[in-house]
Amino acid sequence: MVSHQELVVQKYMGSGRKLIGKGIMDKKSNKRKIAPIYPPVVLSIAGSDSGGGAGIQADLKTMESLGVFGTCAITSITAQNTRRVDSVMVIPVAEVGAQIDSILSDFEVSAAKTGMLANTQNIEMIARRSKSFEFPLIVDPVMVATSGDALLESGAEEAYKELIKNSQIVTPNADEAGVLAAMEIRNISDAIDAGEKILKMGTENVLVKGGHIKGDTVVDILVTKEGNIQIEHEWIDSDITHGSGCTLSSAITANVAKGETIEDAVCESIAFVERALRYPIDVGRGPGTIHHLVELREKGERQATIETIRSIVSELVRLEIRPLVPEVGMNIVGSTPYAESIEEMAGVEGRITKTSRGVNIGDGVVFGASSHVARFLKEAREYHPYLRFAMNCKFNEKIELGIEKIGWETKEYNRMDQEKSIRENEGNTMEWGAREVFSDQGPLVAKVIDRGADGKEPMLKLVFVDSETLISDVKMLLKEI
């Protein structure tokens, strides 16, 4: 088997004729060599959103974020913003076809998607052309904007059935699935029935999105020929959903182009959109838009987060932190601004522990090093999303007196109030404790007391928005004890 490295070298060396004159050095040249990359190419056939949150604009941002190269064929131009669609101009069908031809004549497309197709002529034209596509097609049957404005001419829904035959997956929301399946969708059972009806139109998979179905959680349903998979996740308390459907179908397209199975592509794309919804962009006078580049931003913040934790640890060692280090050790955890899991939180590997003369600062700062403190911070961020740092400290009468002298407001949770199932599952106490003290949605109280239990050391947990406050608070507490 040829290694990835060998394939890249072969492709690079084989591209010499094409790249001569663009910077490849030969023995007589003093120009720098270029080092091209070879991402999968994907095609979006959709409408333009002048507000930048949905349509082609959302597609290309999402595709770039997920490491594929996006191309496009624009079907319509909309004048819209975060509040409404003011007008729609449909591109002549011949021009849409010319764009598709231009892309396919030059690029090696690995996957394509459709979004807003606007009218029957565009749908029928793409349906005819898609019969000869040698790559997967993802169909997002866009009919209505988030604002409620119609994005498909009346009567064009019937034309979708021919296009659906040539798709690998169709991604309707509940309303769109109801139109395609000619039924009302009120619950998960209805959504499954609708998905099965759409599946019979000839597609290989149907993802019925659950955002329009009422329930305690959001349930997206992937209907396949082998059965259905229900993907459950929590509601996000937000009305900023503009562009979410376009972003999801674009993410699926990108992941399919990279070789993911449909199930993996769908699950990863749903998680991608969930983060994009959790950390939206507040622009315009309407609700705003979801954050299409949030994955890139999260990864881009990782090194800065590690460096901040390292500087905190260095400063605490200088401050002689030993009096605050618990017997089980201390950890200082930093979250990227967009973290959704404890694996996206950096901590001290091996914890900070006491020695006879001072402290041992562990084996370095890495992501995923902390479980307990990271779980506490992750859950605290559900109620105060701007929290970035947390640490655990020793707690005893002397420290409690110091807190009183400083005048800090504190909250407490009592381990004995836990349900048995939580108490017996190691690690769950941290999330439960954070919910106990932060779920009241009141002002942030950043000092949390855990008085321990049998076999559990009492602890003071501190949470912070920034590292400067962390250092300042620790200095104050050390001074008082």
Side-chain angles (χ1 to χ4, degrees):
M1 181 181 291
V2 180
S3 70
H4 175 69
Q5 175 170 302
E6 289 170 327
L7 284 172
V8 170
V9 170
Q10 288 173 11
K11 195 163 187 179
Y12 180 75
M13 296 305 292
S15 64
R17 181 187 59 79
K18 178 181 176 182
L19 295 174
I20 287 292
K22 294 186 178 181
I24 285 187
M25 282 199 302
D26 57 31
K27 294 180 180 179
K28 298 179 181 179
S29 172
N30 60 357
K31 295 179 181 178
R32 298 184 69 194
K33 279 190 177 181
I34 64 170
I37 60 171
Y38 308 99
V41 176
V42 294
L43 168 63
S44 173
I45 308 169
S48 168
D49 172 8
S50 59
I56 287 290
Q57 287 80 356
D59 294 345
L60 296 180
K61 292 174 190 176
T62 301
M63 292 166 178
E64 185 70 23
S65 180
L66 290 173
V68 299
F69 184 82
T71 64
C72 64
I74 299 176
T75 61
S76 56
I77 298 171
T78 68
Q80 66 175 298
N81 52 40
T82 58
R83 295 179 292 177
R84 62 184 180 272
V85 178
D86 290 318
S87 69
V88 177
M89 184 181 77
V90 181
I91 303 296
V93 67
E95 291 301 321
V96 178
Q99 293 176 75
I100 296 172
D101 288 341
S102 185
I103 296 301
L104 298 184
S105 68
D106 185 39
F107 295 90
E108 187 177 328
V109 173
S110 296
K113 65 151 286 189
T114 65
M116 176 186 174
L117 300 182
N119 62 23
T120 301
Q121 292 93 328
N122 275 332
I123 299 171
E124 290 176 343
M125 178 271 292
I126 296 164
R128 288 193 303 271
R129 288 169 180 261
S130 64
K131 292 177 183 179
S132 61
F133 285 175
E134 297 179 353
F135 45 81
L137 176 66
I138 288 77
V139 173
D140 184 14
V142 176
M143 298 177 184
V144 179
T146 302
S147 60
D149 297 288
L151 297 177
L152 183 68
E153 71 176 12
S154 178
E157 297 88 355
E158 189 67 23
Y160 261 115
K161 294 180 181 179
E162 193 64 30
L163 178 59
I164 286 169
K165 285 182 184 179
N166 304 321
S167 67
Q168 186 178 52
I169 184 170
V170 186
T171 64
N173 60 34
D175 295 338
E176 292 159 348
V179 171
L180 293 171
M183 61 179 287
E184 184 180 356
I185 297 178
R186 296 155 297 184
N187 51 44
I188 293 172
S189 178
D190 290 341
I192 294 171
D193 289 344
E196 290 175 346
K197 287 184 177 181
I198 298 169
L199 195 68
K200 290 177 181 177
M201 295 176 187
T203 186
E204 296 179 34
N205 306 275
V206 181
L207 175 65
V208 182
K209 297 174 287 192
H212 292 188
I213 303 173
K214 292 182 179 179
D216 294 334
T217 57
V218 183
V219 181
D220 300 310
I221 301 159
L222 177 61
V223 181
T224 73
K225 294 172 183 177
E226 288 74 39
N228 69 80
I229 300 165
Q230 297 184 23
I231 305 157
E232 185 176 3
H233 46 106
E234 295 179 354
W235 289 100
I236 294 173
D237 185 17
S238 172
D239 57 357
I240 307 175
T241 58
H242 183 56
S244 57
C246 304
T247 301
L248 178 59
S249 58
S250 296
I252 293 171
T253 307
N255 286 324
V256 167
K258 293 189 291 186
E260 300 280 0
T261 65
I262 279 291
E263 183 178 343
D264 287 346
V266 166
C267 290
E268 290 174 16
S269 299
I270 288 172
F272 176 92
V273 173
E274 190 173 10
R275 194 198 302 262
L277 286 164
R278 177 86 194 284
Y279 303 98
I281 300 175
D282 186 4
V283 290
R285 295 180 180 176
T289 181
I290 70 172
H291 199 331
H292 312 92
L293 299 181
V294 69
E295 291 281 331
L296 284 181
R297 298 286 183 260
E298 194 281 323
K299 290 178 174 62
E301 289 284 349
R302 290 191 173 200
Q303 188 58 38
T305 301
I306 283 180
E307 293 300 331
T308 301
I309 295 295
R310 286 174 178 164
S311 67
I312 290 171
V313 170
S314 295
E315 181 64 13
L316 294 185
V317 170
R318 189 187 70 79
L319 292 173
E320 298 181 359
I321 194 68
R322 190 177 188 279
L324 293 180
V325 177
E327 297 306 316
V328 296
M330 169 187 285
N331 215 324
I332 299 155
V333 172
S335 162
T336 69
Y338 314 103
E340 289 287 272
S341 69
I342 62 173
E343 289 74 26
E344 292 165 345
M345 296 182 179
V348 179
E349 193 168 29
R351 305 183 185 181
I352 298 172
T353 55
K354 291 191 288 188
T355 67
S356 59
R357 296 185 179 181
V359 295
N360 183 323
I361 59 173
D363 298 323
V365 178
V366 296
F367 279 89
S370 169
S371 174
H372 286 64
V373 180
R375 288 179 189 277
F376 188 81
L377 177 59
K378 177 182 176 295
E379 194 65 28
R381 281 171 50 83
E382 290 295 317
Y383 308 100
H384 300 282
Y386 297 108
L387 288 173
R388 292 286 310 280
F389 303 96
M391 65 184 294
N392 64 315
C393 300
K394 177 192 284 288
F395 183 76
N396 54 28
E397 291 181 4
K398 188 175 182 180
I399 290 173
E400 186 167 21
L401 182 60
I403 291 171
E404 291 174 0
K405 287 180 180 179
I406 295 169
W408 281 343
E409 184 180 358
T410 63
K411 284 190 174 183
E412 295 189 25
Y413 62 82
N414 186 339
R415 288 174 177 263
M416 300 310 296
D417 293 337
Q418 299 175 85
E419 295 178 7
K420 185 178 179 181
S421 59
I422 296 175
R423 190 163 58 247
E424 292 179 347
N425 194 334
E426 185 68 24
N428 282 0
T429 294
M430 295 300 99
E431 292 158 333
W432 171 85
R435 287 194 296 272
E436 285 289 291
V437 297
F438 296 122
S439 63
D440 61 4
Q441 299 292 311
L444 174 64
V445 176
K447 282 73 182 176
V448 178
I449 295 171
D450 169 7
R451 295 186 183 273
D454 289 342
K456 300 295 181 181
E457 184 181 1
M459 207 76 66
L460 172 67
K461 294 184 178 66
L462 310 176
V463 292
F464 305 92
V465 171
D466 57 74
S467 59
E468 292 79 12
T469 305
L470 187 159
I471 296 297
S472 174
D473 283 1
V474 170
K475 281 182 178 179
M476 279 192 284
L477 188 55
L478 284 171
K479 182 179 179 181
E480 292 300 331
I481 64 172

